[in-house]
Amino acid sequence: MPLHRNSVLPRNLAIASPMNLPSAAADHPKQQALLEAAELAKSGCFIDAYQRLLACGSVNDWFGSERAEIAWIVSELGAPRLSRWHTLKGFREMPDSLAVRNAYGALIVADNGPLDTLEFLESNVEPTEQNSSDDRMRWHWLRASSLTQLRDFAAAEQELDRMAAVGERV
């Protein structure tokens, strides 16, 4: 199902609140498993990362921004439809999460191209210091790659400089 211009998903679908979030104490082993899986995936061990996630149950039982990591891992294992499902569901659950917006922006660039991606990024709040450095760098990379496709090399270079500045502060 391709995404269409100006058809961003409604923000009022299952917005995360303390009432519908699982308790942190109950999810501690699950969160630890996700961190371990992400580290395995960053080192290229995607099968091991997926197996680590399966040890906690179904990969469909995660919530919100966790789905961005799941989507990345399953896409690298050759499951693009499952990856897309996690990205779309994550965006419906937590549209304000930068990790989810980055994954959703990558779907937009694949489906609709760089102009719609830039419109999506500009319609959302820019990353702040409270966001993780990896997520901020991904956001700048998405902007830079979209600007490059539109042949705006000067603006793309500025985004790459901003991305490098985020990386230097890490």
Side-chain angles (χ1 to χ4, degrees):
M1 169 172 89
L3 302 172
H4 297 288
R5 184 180 206 147
N6 299 327
S7 68
V8 176
L9 298 173
R11 290 186 174 269
N12 61 355
L13 293 175
I15 300 297
S17 73
M19 297 304 288
N20 63 3
L21 284 176
S23 70
D27 273 359
H28 181 57
K30 203 172 176 183
Q31 295 300 322
Q32 185 63 31
L34 183 63
L35 290 173
E36 292 171 7
E39 287 304 313
L40 286 167
K42 286 178 184 177
S43 65
C45 301
F46 292 101
I47 293 173
D48 294 335
Y50 184 71
Q51 289 173 340
R52 181 66 185 106
L53 293 173
L54 288 179
C56 292
S58 172
V59 292
N60 296 336
D61 295 338
W62 298 83
F63 181 81
S65 61
E66 300 163 342
R67 291 186 186 278
E69 294 290 336
I70 305 291
W72 172 51
I73 292 169
V74 297
S75 72
E76 292 294 326
L77 290 173
R81 288 176 51 195
L82 181 59
S83 173
R84 182 182 191 82
W85 180 82
H86 275 289
T87 301
L88 293 173
K89 191 155 175 72
F91 188 74
R92 288 181 186 124
E93 293 169 348
M94 292 187 77
D96 294 329
S97 165
L98 184 58
V100 172
R101 283 186 289 163
N102 288 338
Y104 189 72
L107 280 184
I108 293 174
V109 80
D111 287 347
N112 298 352
L115 186 58
D116 286 344
T117 304
L118 286 174
E119 288 175 1
F120 171 74
L121 292 174
E122 290 172 5
S123 70
N124 286 283
V125 179
E126 283 200 34
T128 63
E129 294 292 324
Q130 287 78 27
N131 300 112
S132 76
S133 59
D134 283 347
D135 288 338
R136 286 183 285 152
M137 288 192 298
R138 285 185 190 119
W139 189 86
H140 290 300
W141 175 252
L142 191 57
R143 277 188 56 83
S145 63
S146 296
L147 289 165
T148 301
Q149 291 177 34
L150 294 172
R151 314 301 261 180
D152 189 350
F153 300 117
E157 187 172 354
Q158 289 175 346
E159 284 300 323
L160 291 175
D161 291 341
R162 291 174 68 191
M163 185 177 99
V166 170
E168 289 172 359
R169 286 181 259 162
V170 174

